[in-house]
Amino acid sequence: MRAGKIRTFGCSTYPAFEIVESHRVAEQRGLMRFRTEQPPYNLLARGAERDVLPVAERESMGVLTWSPLAFGFLTGHHRKNGPVRAQGRTAIRPEWFDRADPVTARTEDQRPMNRPASTARRVSSSWALPCLRISSPSLRGTAPSR
C-alpha cells in the first residue's frame, strides 16, 4: 500500500477472534487494518451470522461472501442418490459429499415455499442480497451451464 500498488486489503475465512486480534496488532504497530472479510455464507453455512458479521459491522469492514450455493448442494447438482463424481470438489473433499450426511440429504432440488417459479438455486443465490451486513455476495459457476 505504501508503494501505491493497492488501496486496501482484506482477509478470507478468518474467524472473528482473528479479525479482532489482527486489528489490535495493526493499531499497535501503526499498520493498516483489514477492510474486508470474505466468509463462506449460504443457507447451510450461516455461522458468520453469529460472530463474523457482527465484528465486521462493528469494525466498519465490508463483507464479500462466497459459496452462496453451498458448492452446488443448493442447486440440485449433487443429489442424495445420484452418482458421486470423481472430479472437482468431490475428488478433493469427499467428506463434503457424503450421501448419508443429513445436511446433504436435505438439499435435494425441491421447489421452496411451494412456488413453481422458485427453485432452490434462485432462492439460495438471492436470499443474502437484502442483508445489510453483506457488501457483496459472490456468485459464480464452474461451468457455463450453471
Side-chain angles (χ1 to χ4, degrees):
M1 290 182 24
R2 291 180 183 142
K5 295 182 181 182
I6 63 170
R7 286 190 238 164
T8 188
F9 63 99
C11 53
S12 180
T13 319
Y14 272 37
F17 77 90
E18 285 187 22
I19 295 170
V20 171
E21 179 65 11
S22 70
H23 283 200
R24 185 188 65 77
V25 170
E27 188 173 315
Q28 284 179 339
R29 296 182 182 178
L31 302 171
M32 298 290 293
R33 303 175 342 154
F34 290 129
R35 298 299 301 159
T36 62
E37 164 55 8
Q38 190 176 19
Y41 187 59
N42 56 60
L43 291 167
L44 299 177
R46 296 179 63 185
E49 290 174 348
R50 185 177 48 257
D51 51 9
V52 172
L53 294 181
V55 165
E57 184 175 33
R58 187 181 73 233
E59 298 290 331
S60 299
M61 295 173 65
V63 177
L64 313 166
T65 61
W66 58 272
S67 192
L69 300 177
F71 303 108
F73 283 109
L74 297 173
T75 66
H77 183 69
H78 305 286
R79 295 188 179 273
K80 182 178 175 186
N81 296 317
V84 177
R85 295 165 177 81
Q87 61 187 10
R89 288 188 181 97
T90 51
I92 296 168
R93 301 294 297 263
E95 67 274 14
W96 288 355
F97 302 90
D98 180 5
R99 298 300 193 252
D101 179 65
V103 172
T104 306
R106 287 197 315 258
T107 58
E108 293 296 307
D109 191 12
Q110 299 173 16
R111 301 278 183 201
M113 302 168 285
N114 296 321
R115 295 183 185 166
S118 296
T119 64
R121 181 182 309 211
R122 183 174 293 154
V123 170
S124 301
S125 61
S126 64
W127 80 280
L129 292 174
C131 181
L132 297 177
R133 291 178 170 170
I134 297 175
S135 306
S136 175
S138 175
L139 299 172
R140 71 175 188 89
T142 55
S145 62
R146 295 185 204 152

